[in-house]
Structure formats: C-alpha cells, structure tokens
Amino acid sequence: MSTGGERTDRPRVCFLGAGTMAGAVIGGMLSAGWPADRITATHRRPEGRAAVAEKYGIEVTETSPEAVADADLVVVAVKPYAALDVLASVVEGLSPHTVVASLCAGITCAAMESALESTGRVQLARLSVVRVMPNTACLVRAGVSGISAGRHADEQALARVVEVMQTVGSTVEIPEAQQDALAAVSGSGGAYLALVAEAMIEAGVHQGLPRTVADDLVRQTFAGAAALLVEGEHPAVLREQVTSPAGSTAAAINALESAGVRAAFLSAIAAATERNRALGAPADESR
Ligand SMILES: NC(=O)C1=CN([C@@H]2O[C@H](COP(=O)(O)OP(=O)(O)OC[C@H]3O[C@@H](n4cnc5c(N)ncnc54)[C@H](O)[C@@H]3O)[C@@H](O)[C@H]2O)C=CC1
Ligand SMILES: O=C(O)[C@@H]1CCC=N1
C-alpha cells in the first residue's frame, strides 16, 4: 500500500480501537508512505487483531499500557461511550511526552483531561490532549479534520496531530465549542452525499436507465461537481450555471425546494450537532 519514500522520523502513532474511522486514517497514512512500523493499533478481539494486522501490515495488540508505551501519539478511536474507559485502561503506559488525541464524537478535551487528572499522577495531569474530528475520506487522503487543542497542548503537540491528519487530507483548527457542529457538517457529511447519490441512482433507474449506467453517471457527476467545488466557485454560482430559465434543471430545483430539501439539511445538521453534544454528556447511556 505504501507509495515509497518513507520517512523514518515520523511520530509513532498508536490507535486505540481499529474500526472504520481508525482504519480510514491508517489506510491513508500507509498509502502516503508512513512507515508501517511506526503505526500500531489495539483491538479487543483476537480475530479482529489478526484481521487488522493482516489488512494493514501493522502490529495490533490488545488494549493495555504496554500497547502505548512507545507511542508519541495515542489516538482514541473507539465509540464515544467507551472512550474514557479505554483511555483510563492505558494510563500506566503513557509518558509525559505522549500526546493523546481523540476522534470520538462529543468527547471533550476537558473530559479526557479529567480522566488523566483522576489518575493522581502529576505528570499525566498535564499531558497534551487534542480533539480531532476527521471523516472517512481520510482513506483516500481526501479527508478533512477539525482540530482543537486541549488546555495543556502546546504548538508542538498540536503539530504532531496536524502532521498525521494532513497526511490523509486537510485540517482546520477550530475553537472546541464548534466541534459538534463541524462533526455534523464534515464528520457525517459523506453519509448525506452518499444518500443523495443513492437516491439519484434509484431515480435514474425509475426513469428507465440501466442500473449500471445510472450508477456510473452519478459517480462521475459527484466527482465532477466536487472538482468544480474545490476550484472555489460559490455553490450557488455552480447551480445557476446549470439552471436555464424555465429549463429542466429549474423544474428539478423547484421540485427539490418544494420538497423542503434545504430545510431538511438545516434540520439534519441541527439534529447531528445536538446528538454529538449528547454523546459527550456523562449521563448518556445510549452512546
Ligand atoms: N465512522 C465515521 O465516519 C467517523 C467516526 N468517528 C468517531 O470514531 C470513533 C470510532 O467510530 P467507528 O470507527 O465508526 O466505529 P467502529 O465500531 O467501526 O470502531 C470502533 C472500534 O473500537 C473497538 N473497541 C471498542 N472497545 C475497545 C477497546 N476497549 N479496545 C480496543 N478496541 C475497542 C471496536 O471493537 C471497534 O473495532 C467514534 O468515536 C466516532 O465518533 C469520527 C468521525 C467519523
Ligand atoms: O455518527 C457517527 O458515529 C460518526 C460521528 C461523526 C461521523 N460519524
């Protein structure tokens, strides 16, 4: 998977949990040439450990203090409800130079810092904690990650996290108060677009296109629209360029607006933001 040109001065990164999101970041790092021997992961099931080790060619162990002992950066990548317990389970292996990052929706830097402070070990109480919200496009090195530093994270700590996340996409540093909204827009955003793609394929089939043709058309339309968007033109201008007065696109846009598509996105992103906040609330048992 490596593109060669591996740098041996890369930080050693240990992912706690090796599911979808960690896998996307690991896959992207490897394809960017990050040395496989500088990436490790933990998995709670032995068969999962074997599968992840085989897939990525990295060392995968159970979650333990030993697993993080050599890491420069420890990335918590389990479901939000398990994040603080998983962090607590490795503290004995952390050292004062370790940076701890979390990809977990809703989990605040303060919550992670409290978990470290509650160990009673002075050097861990001042550990650098960084909150990161990536998305699954990291796998193809086209992700975007929102990054917020915790109370003790200095420029050097932040730079270590940025180095990893810029290997798999772009990064934006934001105040932590905006993390739940960012997750609702870009963390989850790929799912909204996948839903639209699915709906467009079905609609094409409904109009008589062969499924494989509809599938190809939609994939390439998304790729083309994304390429135009990243050139920087405003989305409204791109939409207007396609929309002739009284034309077919105008008819379609009218149908979408009448169906409340814009309001649906407002509600969807508000619902996701609220859910992310709830996931970080200590009393939430449904995370
Ligand atoms: N899937 C996505 O698109 C995104 C996910 N995230 C965040 O990433 C985190 C992980 O999400 P996914 O990868 O989607 O979930 P997932 O369920 O695919 O992966 C979680 C992994 O953690 C493992 N795990 C649980 N407890 C563990 C333990 N004690 N030790 C080691 N491994 C343990 C599970 O076995 C599983 O493999 C979540 O907190 C989520 O908020 C953030 C951005 C996007
Ligand atoms: O919904 C989820 O579990 C994650 C959080 C951000 C994107 N997906």
Side-chain angles (χ1 to χ4, degrees), residues 216-275:
D216 285 349
L217 292 174
V218 169
R219 283 175 199 276
Q220 190 52 41
T221 301
F222 266 70
L228 288 171
L229 269 174
V230 299
E231 289 287 303
E233 196 64 272
H234 193 281
V237 173
L238 295 174
R239 178 174 52 75
E240 283 165 9
Q241 286 169 351
V242 192
T243 311
S244 319
S248 56
T249 309
I253 298 283
N254 182 50
L256 287 169
E257 295 286 21
S258 300
V261 75
R262 208 178 281 259
F265 273 99
L266 270 173
S267 304
I269 287 174
T273 304
E274 198 181 315
R275 182 64 190 140

Side-chain angles (χ1 to χ4, degrees), residues 2-4 12 20 28 77 88 99 103 110 115 117 164 171 209 228 239 244 252 258 266 274:
S2 163
T3 55
R12 287 163 299 202
T20 306
V99 174
L103 311 179
E117 279 160 23
V164 172
T171 59
L209 292 174
L228 288 171
R239 178 174 52 75
S244 319
S258 300
L266 270 173
E274 198 181 315

Side-chain angles (χ1 to χ4, degrees), residues 17 19-21 42-44 63 77-80 86 103-105 133-134 136:
T20 306
M21 196 57 245
T42 72
H43 201 290
R44 58 185 163 171
T63 308
V78 296
K79 291 292 189 196
V86 164
L103 311 179
C104 306
M133 178 47 57
T136 51

Side-chain angles (χ1 to χ4, degrees), residues 15-24 41-45 48-49 52 61-64 76-83 85-87 89-90 102-107 132-137 144 183 186-191 276 279 287:
F15 291 84
L16 302 179
T20 306
M21 196 57 245
T42 72
H43 201 290
R44 58 185 163 171
R45 284 177 292 106
R49 291 198 277 279
V52 174
T61 61
E62 56 188 323
T63 308
S64 69
V76 184
V78 296
K79 291 292 189 196
Y81 74 87
D85 287 345
V86 164
L87 179 58
S89 73
V90 302
S102 157
L103 311 179
C104 306
I107 301 302
V132 183
M133 178 47 57
N135 60 25
T136 51
V144 58
S186 58
S188 304
N276 288 329
L279 287 169
R287 310 180 287 186

